[in-house]
Every structure is written in C-alpha cells, then in structure tokens.
Amino acid sequence: MPTHGAAAGKTRSRGCFITFEGIDGAGKSSQIAAVVALLRARGIDVDQSREPGGTPLGERLRELLLHEPMHLETEAMLMFAARREHLAARIEPALAAGRWVVCDRFSDATFAYQVGGRGLAREKFEALEAWVHPGLQPDLTLLFDLPPDIAAGRVASTGVDPDRFEREQRDFFERVRGAYLERARQAPQRIRVIDANRPPEVIRTEIERIVAEALSA
Ligand code: TYD
C-alpha cells in the first residue's frame, strides 16, 4: 500500500487505488460514500469515480452498455474502452499526483460479469486486461458478497427501472458471484470479501477497520 500523501505529511507519493465490487444489489453504494467521507476526514484527497463511466466519454459508453443489446465481446471491449479512457484521463493522473481514487467497480467486474456471467473466453479477458492496464491493479478491493436472491430483492425494492444487467436471472448472478469469489481466491491480499448479508452498521465497522489497516500500512 503506498503512503498516503496528505495524511502522512509526505508530498507527492503515489495515491492509493481502492475499488468496490459485488453483484447488483449488494449494497456497496452507501458504503462507498462512508469510506470516502472517512478518508476525507483524515485529510486525504480522494477522487470518487465509477465504471463504466468516470469520464464524459465513459459515461456515454455507460449509457450504451446499460441499455443497448450487444454481442458479449462488444460488451467486454466497450467496458475496457471506457476503462482505458478513465485510466488515462483520470485514474493515472490522480494516483501520480498523490490523490486516492475510490472507484465503484473496475476490471474484477469484467471478469465476474463478462467471463463469469456471459461466458466470455478467459484468454480474451486476460488479453484486454494486459493491454489496458499492464502492471496496474487496485491496491485494495472490497468485494461485497451475498446470495443473489437477497440481492435481487434489494434491487426490486428500489423501484427504479432495471437496466440490462439487473434484468438478468438468478443463475446469471450465481455465475457472477462465483467468478468474483474465484478472483478473490486468486488475489487474497488485494481482494477482501465482505459478508454483505449483515446490517449496514456492522459492514461499515468492518470496512473502516480494513481501510484503517490500509492507512497504517
Ligand atoms: P453499477 O454502477 O454498479 O450499477 P448501478 O448504477 O445500478 O448501481 O454497474 C453498472 C452495471 O455494469 C452492473 O450491472 C455491472 C455492470 N458491469 C459489467 O458488466 N462489467 C464491467 O466491467 C463493469 C465495470 C460493470
């Protein structure tokens, strides 16, 4: 974990890159807001973003990705196209300037949704990942894990029109969840699995502890 510039009183060390992952309805949004508030309270300069999106072009691609039917490889390539732009225009400059980046989803989501959920060939995912961000992974990833039927209930209770992904069936989300957990097993130091089937305050306390560890590392 890199030293955090502002809070450590050091200047211009590389910032820390934290991502949040999980199936739709896992409850990451409110926890992201809490983590960002916590970091800012500690004097850390944080850039909060999301994928797909995070740049004007990325947000336009997001609209297409969430609503326009497309081939699964087109979907994977557009996810990585939006990511390429996001890295170049926002993530890399922020980290290089010592700012922290907290992002709602990154490439673990492509592994989970496009490889796990849709059945994209792993080698194609790996080729895109190696092309778009060779040598870069988040410093810390918080994976919100919970059973798809509970997550689906949460999505339905928002009353918001579901997008193309949220309309998928339970077996799709079972595969997405399985792929996320597989990825976590491959990178246990980076990806911390959070049991999201608990009250928000309990989850928040656990996340604060994990982030505090990151701060002192
Ligand atoms: P998200 O912002 O979590 O949705 P919401 O605004 O409803 O909280 O993510 C948008 C959707 O995009 C989500 O269903 C997961 C999907 N997605 C992928 O399939 N692959 C990816 O690489 C990314 C980043 C997101």
Side-chain angles (χ1 to χ4, degrees):
M1 198 75 52
T3 355
H4 41 96
K10 297 181 182 167
T11 48
R12 301 297 149 219
S13 57
R14 192 171 162 86
C16 187
F17 184 24
I18 302 178
T19 57
F20 283 70
E21 299 283 357
I23 60 174
D24 293 81
K28 52 191 169 54
S29 304
S30 53
Q31 301 291 349
I32 293 176
V35 165
V36 169
L38 173 78
L39 293 172
R40 288 187 177 144
R42 303 257 189 129
I44 295 171
D45 193 357
V46 183
D47 186 8
Q48 183 184 345
S49 195
R50 68 173 181 180
E51 290 206 350
T55 65
L57 175 62
E59 292 294 327
R60 290 176 72 179
L61 292 173
R62 179 186 177 92
E63 275 309 300
L64 291 171
L65 282 159
L66 264 48
H67 303 293
E68 188 78 23
M70 62 185 76
H71 188 274
L72 72 96
E73 291 185 354
T74 310
E75 188 176 279
M77 287 189 279
L78 285 183
M79 290 291 179
F80 270 106
R83 184 161 302 134
R84 185 69 193 94
E85 190 66 18
H86 196 199
L87 281 159
R90 194 161 165 185
I91 298 175
E92 286 286 11
L95 295 176
R99 306 184 72 203
W100 285 39
V101 176
V102 173
C103 193
D104 187 348
R105 302 190 185 281
F106 193 63
S107 293
D108 298 319
T110 317
F111 182 79
Y113 280 78
Q114 278 66 52
V115 177
R118 301 262 196 248
L120 176 77
R122 269 161 207 262
E123 312 80 71
K124 291 184 177 168
F125 167 81
E126 284 160 6
L128 287 167
E129 189 182 39
W131 181 15
V132 170
H133 53 96
L136 180 133
Q137 285 294 346
D139 297 293
L140 174 67
T141 297
L142 299 171
L143 169 57
F144 285 60
D145 180 59
L146 90 168
D149 46 352
I150 298 175
R154 291 189 187 173
V155 170
S157 71
T158 63
V160 179
D161 255 3
D163 62 41
R164 228 161 49 79
F165 295 98
E166 291 164 341
R167 277 199 295 272
E168 289 292 344
Q169 300 303 308
R170 181 187 162 152
D171 59 334
F172 175 85
F173 287 108
E174 292 287 3
R175 293 195 299 277
V176 173
R177 182 190 192 194
Y180 264 135
L181 292 173
E182 180 192 333
R183 189 99 163 144
R185 284 193 296 276
Q186 290 163 3
Q189 297 294 332
R190 170 173 74 83
I191 305 178
R192 308 290 291 269
V193 182
I194 310 284
D195 174 2
N197 193 14
R198 294 176 300 168
E201 322 79 68
V202 178
I203 296 173
R204 187 174 164 166
T205 305
E206 183 180 358
I207 291 175
E208 285 182 357
R209 185 180 49 74
I210 293 171
V211 172
E213 268 173 43
L215 279 164
S216 58

